[in-house]
Amino acid sequence: MCDRIGVMKMGTLVEVGDTDRIFRDPHHEYTRHLINMMPRVENLSRSGLEIESSVAAHS
């Protein structure tokens, strides 16, 4: 997707780095906060992963 990431807070660039490093070891508090706010698949309930269909099942 991308090799480098820039993190901005209120119009100010607070961190720039390689994508792997940013996600593995974010240096700025705001970057850590953003990463911690990302939804995680393992935190979703089973019902949150299911897609209901309005199409009637065929026998």
Side-chain angles (χ1 to χ4, degrees), residues 3-50:
D3 296 324
R4 294 181 57 78
I5 293 176
V7 179
M8 294 187 76
K9 180 180 180 184
M10 297 178 65
T12 302
L13 194 60
V14 295
E15 184 164 6
V16 177
D18 293 334
T19 302
D20 291 337
R21 201 271 310 150
I22 293 283
F23 282 100
R24 187 181 61 253
D25 183 27
H27 294 168
H28 195 275
E29 177 182 341
Y30 185 67
T31 307
R32 289 190 294 273
H33 174 73
L34 290 175
I35 291 171
N36 287 333
M37 296 305 294
M38 289 173 35
R40 309 247 190 257
V41 172
E42 61 269 11
N43 292 340
L44 296 176
S45 68
R46 177 70 184 143
S47 63
L49 297 175
E50 294 176 359

